[in-house]
Amino acid sequence: TAYLFFMAAALRRDARRVEHKHVTPADFTVQVSGLPRHLTAAPIKRALEAALELRGPHVAITVPLHQRELILVHREIRFISERREAYSTDIHGLQAALQRNGRLSPRAATRLEQLRKALAKVSALREEKLDKAAKLAATYGAEGPTSAGVAFITFANAADAISLVKQGLMKLPEIRPEPFLCGRAAEPSDIIWENLGSTDGMARQIRGTIYMSLLS
């Protein structure tokens, strides 16, 4: 376990060295952390647009939403739909062979029956997941999901992003009197978007480490 943590830290150091040698989207982007998780994106975006540090040109303000559960369910639906499509394609192929030849071999007939059962099962599972997604979406209310607690500001000039990172803090009096932390954003490919807004990251990491230790 200690070795895994050591290697993870080493990989992060190597990634930072590579990033410093190349111009990437993260060089133009600042991450604002500690934003209220009970607010939706609209009031946070308005507060950011009114901030003194953003009076100059900036490209975009992105306020990710906390919708981890919905993202994971959507991923499951996509995977199930792919399986459903694959079963349907195989069934159509066997049915076409049956129409051409008038019969199927015992093995093909057994396979067709198995595919029909699998299709019925996966279709029912898809409907269950769709229903779960609809119920999750309904919990968000008319204003939609709340903030994930962070925001990303992308500047037209990297120097503006660097200046704000060096400043380290940003005041948003419309939200609260205390300033919020600012830092260099991670590379977009390094961000696990569905985990933004999650508060159980450390617990999941500890559980993963325990599981790996037990398996080894």
Side-chain angles (χ1 to χ4, degrees):
T1 301
Y3 175 73
L4 291 175
F5 280 108
F6 170 77
M7 290 302 299
L11 287 172
R12 284 194 292 269
R13 288 195 298 269
D14 289 341
R16 283 194 292 269
R17 282 198 295 268
V18 171
E19 289 172 4
H20 290 158
K21 294 179 180 179
H22 299 84
V23 176
T24 68
D27 296 322
F28 295 81
T29 306
V30 176
Q31 176 176 322
V32 183
S33 304
L35 295 168
R37 298 174 186 269
H38 66 279
L39 294 179
T40 58
I44 293 176
K45 191 171 183 178
R46 286 196 300 268
L48 287 168
E49 289 172 343
L52 292 174
E53 293 85 353
L54 302 188
R55 294 294 171 85
H58 60 274
V59 176
I61 296 174
T62 303
V63 182
L65 303 176
H66 177 41
Q67 43 190 349
R68 172 181 168 80
E69 294 83 2
L70 188 59
I71 291 173
L72 294 179
V73 172
H74 178 267
R75 187 176 298 166
E76 287 181 308
I77 292 172
R78 186 175 58 187
F79 174 71
I80 292 168
S81 298
E82 290 173 355
R83 287 173 55 193
R84 184 170 177 265
E85 183 66 26
Y87 291 154
S88 297
T89 300
D90 289 348
I91 288 172
H92 291 326
L94 288 171
Q95 288 175 335
L98 177 60
Q99 290 178 352
R100 285 195 310 269
N101 304 326
R103 65 185 181 88
L104 292 173
S105 67
R107 183 176 180 181
T110 301
R111 176 61 177 162
L112 180 58
E113 185 61 25
Q114 290 174 340
L115 284 169
R116 284 171 174 165
K117 291 180 180 179
L119 179 61
K121 184 177 180 180
V122 81
S123 296
L125 181 60
R126 182 174 180 271
E127 290 301 318
E128 178 185 325
K129 295 299 181 181
L130 287 171
D131 184 59
K132 182 178 180 180
K135 289 178 179 178
L136 281 172
T139 62
Y140 294 142
E143 296 184 351
T146 55
S147 159
V150 298
F152 299 99
I153 305 165
T154 303
F155 290 89
N157 191 332
D160 294 328
I162 293 172
S163 175
L164 184 52
V165 169
K166 289 181 177 178
Q167 179 177 309
L169 297 172
M170 174 184 285
K171 291 185 177 180
L172 300 174
E174 293 184 20
I175 296 178
R176 75 177 189 195
E178 298 81 13
F180 294 91
L181 293 174
C182 296
R184 185 178 186 272
E187 296 297 333
S189 58
D190 292 339
I191 298 174
I192 304 176
W193 295 95
E194 62 265 30
N195 285 349
L196 291 176
S198 297
T199 56
D200 62 341
M202 182 59 68
R204 284 187 282 111
Q205 186 174 3
I206 292 173
R207 285 199 301 269
T209 303
I210 293 173
Y211 295 154
M212 288 181 64
S213 300
L214 293 174
L215 291 173
S216 60

